[in-house]
Amino acid sequence: MKTFSEGTCDAVVIGAGHAGCEAALALARTGRSVVLLTLNPDSIGFMPCNPSVGGTAKGHLVREIDALGGEMGVCADKCALQYRMLNEGKGAAVQSLRAQVDKNKYHTEMKRVLENTEHLRIVQGEAEKILVRNGEVFGVKTTYGGVFSCKKVIVATGVYLNANTVTGEVVQKSGPSGFAPATKLTKSLLQLGFSVRRFKTGTPARLDGRTVDASVLQIQPGERTYPFSFLNSSVPEEQKHCLLGWTNQKTHEIILNNLDRAPLYNGGITSTGPRYCPSIETKVVRFSDKERHQIFLEPEGADTNEVYVQGLSTSLPHDVQKEMYRTVRGLERCEIVRYAYAIEYDCIDPLDLLPTLEYKKVKGLYTAGQINGTSGYEEAAAQGLMAGLNASLSLRKLPPLILRRDEGYIGVLIDDLVTKGTDEPYRMMTSRAEFRLSLRQDNADLRLTEKGRACGLVTDERYEKFLERKALREETLRILEGRADKATADMVAAKHGMTLTQGVKYADLIRRGIPLSEICEAFGILGEMPRDVLLSAETEIGYEGYLKRNLEEIERAKKAEEKPLPSDLDYNTVTGLRLEAREKLNRVKPLNFGQASRISGVSPADIAVLMVYVSMKK
C-alpha cells in the first residue's frame, strides 16, 4: 500500500478511551501538538462496562487525577446521576467516593472537551505500525498508509487489541459493545520486543428498566457528599437511586446445570480474567456455600431506560442468560436490551516499562491503561495522565514526574505494575497502599496540586482554588486549636458519657471521638466553612497520632528510594545474589534500593548483598 504523510506533531496517542483522553489532554494542555488516533470517534471516553466512576480506592485515583489537572473528575461531576461515599462506617483512609454517571453524556462531554482543546487533533484510523529508528520513535503508520511523524507515541488501546467477544458458543472478532477491534498493531508490538499475553474481562446484561419490578427491590438513594473535582463545591440535591437485589438457589441451579455451555468452564476461554470482579459463574462455583449474591441495578443514563445489572457478569449463552436473570426477584418479567459477554484481548507485560511508563527498549514509546494489564476506567485514566505528562516533560527537556508510593495511589499503581508486574487484570485497592492513612481523598490536592502546577498542567483557576481551599483548611485547624467554653464543653462531653476535669480545646473533643459537626453546632463555630474542608480537618486531628507514625515510616522508606542503583548494572556479576534475584533484578532494572526491595523474589538478604556491592564499587 502506498504511504502518504498525515503531517507532523509532537506526539501521537493511539486510542481514545480513558487513558488516551487523559494522555492527549496532558500533552495538549502543556503546549505540545498531539494527534489522538481512534478507531471510532463515537467511542471517545466510552464506558463499555459499569456506568460509574470511582469506588473503593478508585475514588482516590480520580481525586488525584483531578488534583494534578486531569479531566476525569470534572467530566464525572458534570454527568453524575448519584453520589455515594463507600466504607463511610470505616476509617477515613478507606472511604472512597463513587458516582453513577450518565454514560452517553460522559462520552459526549469528554469528546467536546477534546475537540475544543488547542494543539489537539482527533483522527479516525487504525494504527498498524509504530515507526522506530535507532531505538527511538519517529512516527505511526495507519492501515490506510497514512504516516504521522512524531517524537512520542502513547499506546492506550484498552481492550481492543485482537479483541474477541465470547458468549456461550459464539465467538466474534469484536471490541466492546460491537465496536470494531484493532487487529494490526500487536504484530508491531511483538516486533519491538514487547511481551504480549491475553487477558479477559466481562460485562453483565442491560435490562429495559420498564420491565423491572422496583417495588420488591431495595432502594439505594444518593448521598450529599462532596464531588470528585476540587474545582466544584457541591453535588446535586436531586439524585437518581439504584436498586439492590439478590440471586437465589434457582439462579445458582441454572448456572450449575449449564456449566458445560459456559466458556469459562468448557475451555472456550483460556485467557486470564480479573480475580476481584468475577463472573457470576465463578462466584457460584467458588463460593458454593453462599445461598445468594448481591446485585445492583444502576441507571445507564438520564435519557434511557437501560439499567446495568452489577454483579451478574457472565459469558453464558443468551438463552441461559434470559432464564437466569428472570429467577431474580423483581426481574421475573425483565427484557434484556444488551446481553452479557466476555471479552479477550492482547496486553503487554508492564515489567517492560520504566516508572515513567516509557518502554525500556524504545525511547519515546509509552503505554497506558488496560494494555498494561490493568482493569478499570480510573486505573487507565491515571496511567494516561502520567504517560502524557511524562512525554510532555521529556519533549520540554524537563525531569520526569515519578510519584512515590507515599505520595499517591497513582504512585502505588505504577510502582506495582513496573516493579511487581501482574499475572491478572490489576485492580487498585486500598490494601495495596501501605501509607493509605496519608493518601486520603480529602488531601489529594495538598499532596499533588503543586506538582501538577510545576509540570504546567494545573491552570491558574485551579491553582487559585487550591490556595483558597488550603487557606480555609489552615484557618479551620487554627480555630479548632482554640479553647472551648468550659460549660458548653462539659455539656457536649456529658452527652457522650465523658467527664472533663479541666478546660479543653475544640480539637481535644475531636480526639475524644466527638463529631466535628456536633462541636460546630454546640459552639456556633465554622458555620461558613465548606463541608469537605471540615471533614479534612476533622480527619487530620482525629488521626493525629497515627499520622505522625505514618510520616515516620514514610521518612524511613524515602531513604531507600534516595539510594540509586546504576541503570546499566549487570546483576549476574554481583557475587552472593541468589539466581532468582539476579534474574528478577535484571528483568526490572530497578532505579533504586526501594524499588529493588519490592521486587517479588528479591529477599532482604539480596538487598544487603547489593548494598555491600554498590558501596564497594563507589
Side-chain angles (χ1 to χ4, degrees):
M1 179 182 291
K2 183 180 178 181
T3 60
F4 64 97
S5 174
E6 277 276 20
T8 300
C9 58
D10 287 322
V12 172
V13 176
I14 302 172
H18 302 284
C21 289
E22 294 291 351
L25 287 170
L27 281 154
R29 286 170 170 173
T30 52
R32 305 307 98 188
S33 59
V34 56
V35 166
L36 181 59
L37 187 63
T38 173
L39 291 169
N40 190 336
D42 293 335
S43 66
I44 288 174
F46 181 59
M47 307 177 86
C49 200
N50 52 313
S52 68
V53 170
T56 303
K58 294 169 179 279
H60 293 71
L61 288 173
V62 180
R63 295 275 280 180
E64 290 182 358
I65 290 166
D66 187 75
L68 285 166
E71 190 64 24
M72 176 173 263
V74 177
C75 192
D77 284 340
K78 287 179 180 178
C79 309
L81 301 171
Q82 184 204 80
Y83 288 88
R84 288 186 68 84
M85 186 65 73
L86 305 186
N87 301 323
E88 200 161 24
K90 299 180 181 178
V94 297
Q95 292 175 9
S96 301
L97 186 60
R98 185 176 190 266
Q100 299 298 142
V101 300
D102 188 313
K103 183 175 285 190
N104 188 53
K105 187 177 179 182
Y106 188 96
H107 149 72
T108 303
E109 176 60 23
M110 187 63 80
K111 185 169 181 281
R112 184 194 66 78
V113 169
L114 291 162
E115 287 176 337
N116 290 280
T117 298
E118 194 177 358
H119 309 301
L120 199 161
R121 173 188 171 198
I122 299 171
V123 179
Q124 182 171 2
E126 180 181 347
E128 180 177 333
K129 189 172 185 179
I130 296 165
L131 305 177
V132 175
R133 182 191 302 124
N134 298 325
E136 190 168 348
V137 157
F138 74 90
V140 173
K141 177 177 171 289
T142 72
T143 55
Y144 299 98
V147 174
F148 296 92
S149 299
C150 61
K151 296 176 182 176
K152 305 290 180 185
V153 173
I154 299 174
V155 183
T157 46
V159 299
Y160 285 82
L161 283 186
N162 285 330
N164 289 332
T165 57
V166 185
T167 311
E169 300 85 359
V170 179
V171 179
Q172 296 177 306
K173 286 195 172 297
S174 173
S177 293
F179 283 109
T183 60
K184 303 295 183 180
L185 191 60
T186 295
K187 181 179 178 182
S188 179
L189 297 176
L190 287 167
Q191 289 172 342
L192 293 173
F194 277 103
S195 301
V196 175
R197 60 264 186 90
R198 296 284 278 179
F199 275 3
K200 174 201 85 76
T201 187
T203 190
R206 277 66 160 178
L207 309 180
D208 183 340
R210 298 171 302 175
T211 64
V212 173
D213 183 0
S215 67
V216 300
L217 295 167
Q218 182 179 327
I219 291 177
Q220 185 184 57
E223 298 174 346
R224 293 301 309 280
T225 182
Y226 51 77
F228 281 115
S229 179
F230 290 97
L231 293 174
N232 301 322
S233 57
S234 61
V235 302
E237 287 190 25
E238 291 188 18
Q239 299 183 28
K240 282 187 172 287
H241 60 253
C242 296
L243 299 170
L244 276 66
W246 288 267
T247 62
N248 51 53
Q249 202 59 43
K250 181 64 176 173
T251 315
H252 300 179
E253 285 175 9
I254 290 172
I255 293 167
L256 294 171
N257 290 339
N258 286 278
L259 284 182
D260 61 322
R261 299 182 66 197
L264 280 171
Y265 290 92
N266 65 15
I269 291 175
T270 56
S271 50
T272 306
R275 183 190 312 180
Y276 300 104
C277 189
S279 68
I280 187 63
E281 302 97 284
T282 302
K283 286 191 281 190
V284 169
V285 172
R286 186 181 298 167
F287 307 107
S288 56
D289 57 326
K290 291 197 71 170
E291 294 182 357
R292 64 179 191 172
H293 294 278
Q294 193 171 54
I295 65 168
F296 298 84
L297 273 65
E298 304 168 348
E300 289 264 298
D303 60 351
T304 178
N305 291 321
E306 288 186 62
V307 292
Y308 177 92
V309 192
Q310 173 83 339
L312 274 181
S313 174
T314 183
S315 56
L316 285 162
H318 284 192
D319 58 306
V320 179
Q321 286 189 38
K322 194 164 190 175
E323 186 182 4
M324 176 186 72
Y325 277 92
R326 287 184 171 181
T327 62
V328 176
R329 189 171 185 232
L331 307 186
E332 292 90 348
R333 295 178 179 82
C334 73
E335 295 292 350
I336 296 176
V337 178
R338 305 174 200 246
Y339 282 90
Y341 60 85
I343 185 166
E344 299 181 292
Y345 55 95
D346 291 345
C347 59
I348 66 144
D349 186 343
L351 291 177
D352 289 334
L353 305 176
L354 295 167
T356 57
L357 296 180
E358 186 176 23
Y359 183 37
K360 292 175 180 176
K361 297 178 182 178
V362 178
K363 189 177 179 182
L365 176 56
Y366 301 75
T367 59
Q370 287 183 269
I371 189 174
N372 287 345
T374 60
S375 67
Y377 311 144
E378 302 81 5
E379 290 89 340
Q383 293 170 73
L385 176 74
M386 297 303 289
L389 198 48
N390 277 315
S392 172
L393 290 166
S394 178
L395 286 163
R396 290 179 280 156
K397 303 198 182 316
L398 294 172
L401 177 62
I402 300 173
L403 297 177
R404 298 191 310 268
R405 297 180 71 89
D406 61 275
E407 292 180 313
Y409 270 78
I410 295 175
V412 175
L413 164 67
I414 293 175
D415 184 66
D416 277 354
L417 291 174
V418 304
T419 303
K420 302 175 183 177
T422 182
D423 294 324
E424 61 189 30
Y426 177 101
R427 178 177 179 171
M428 193 70 244
M429 295 181 290
T430 54
S431 59
R432 296 189 191 274
E434 59 270 40
F435 303 118
R436 56 187 169 275
L437 191 56
S438 298
L439 305 181
R440 306 183 311 276
Q441 294 179 125
D442 64 87
N443 65 9
D445 58 337
L446 296 172
R447 292 184 279 113
L448 299 175
T449 296
E450 292 283 8
K451 294 181 183 294
R453 180 70 169 178
C455 294
L457 191 56
V458 168
T459 62
D460 291 342
E461 177 195 3
R462 181 181 288 280
Y463 194 60
E464 286 170 11
K465 281 189 176 287
F466 161 69
L467 293 176
E468 179 185 345
R469 185 175 182 273
K470 184 179 178 183
L472 288 173
R473 187 174 181 275
E474 289 170 354
E475 174 67 6
T476 300
L477 290 169
R478 185 191 67 77
I479 290 172
L480 291 174
E481 286 299 322
R483 287 280 167 185
D485 173 72
K486 181 71 166 65
T488 309
D490 285 340
M491 184 176 64
V492 171
K495 287 182 183 177
H496 293 267
M498 303 175 190
T499 302
L500 302 177
T501 57
Q502 56 187 7
V504 296
K505 300 174 182 178
Y506 302 116
D508 293 328
L509 296 174
I510 294 173
R511 293 183 187 106
R512 289 169 180 254
I514 298 173
L516 177 56
S517 57
E518 188 178 327
I519 295 169
C520 291
E521 185 178 350
F523 293 95
I525 60 171
L526 301 171
E528 301 299 316
M529 283 294 175
R531 185 171 180 270
D532 65 320
V533 171
L534 293 176
L535 288 171
S536 183
E538 182 178 25
T539 301
E540 197 74 22
I541 293 169
Y543 287 88
E544 190 175 45
Y546 298 103
L547 284 167
K548 185 178 179 182
R549 287 200 292 273
N550 206 223
L551 289 174
E552 290 170 355
E553 292 169 4
I554 288 171
E555 286 304 313
R556 285 195 293 269
K558 272 185 188 177
K559 291 178 181 178
E561 301 293 331
E562 289 167 0
K563 294 178 182 176
L565 282 164
S567 59
D568 59 350
L569 175 58
D570 180 359
Y571 292 91
N572 288 319
T573 64
V574 182
T575 306
L577 280 180
R578 294 174 306 110
L579 180 60
E580 181 186 8
R582 293 179 187 182
E583 291 175 352
K584 294 289 180 66
L585 288 163
N586 273 325
R587 177 79 170 88
V588 176
K589 291 288 185 183
L591 300 181
N592 50 57
F593 279 94
Q595 188 183 5
S597 68
R598 293 189 294 273
I599 298 173
S600 175
V602 177
S603 69
D606 295 318
I607 297 298
V609 168
L610 201 52
M611 282 185 171
V612 171
Y613 177 85
V614 172
S615 298
M616 289 174 65
K617 284 293 179 183
K618 284 183 179 179

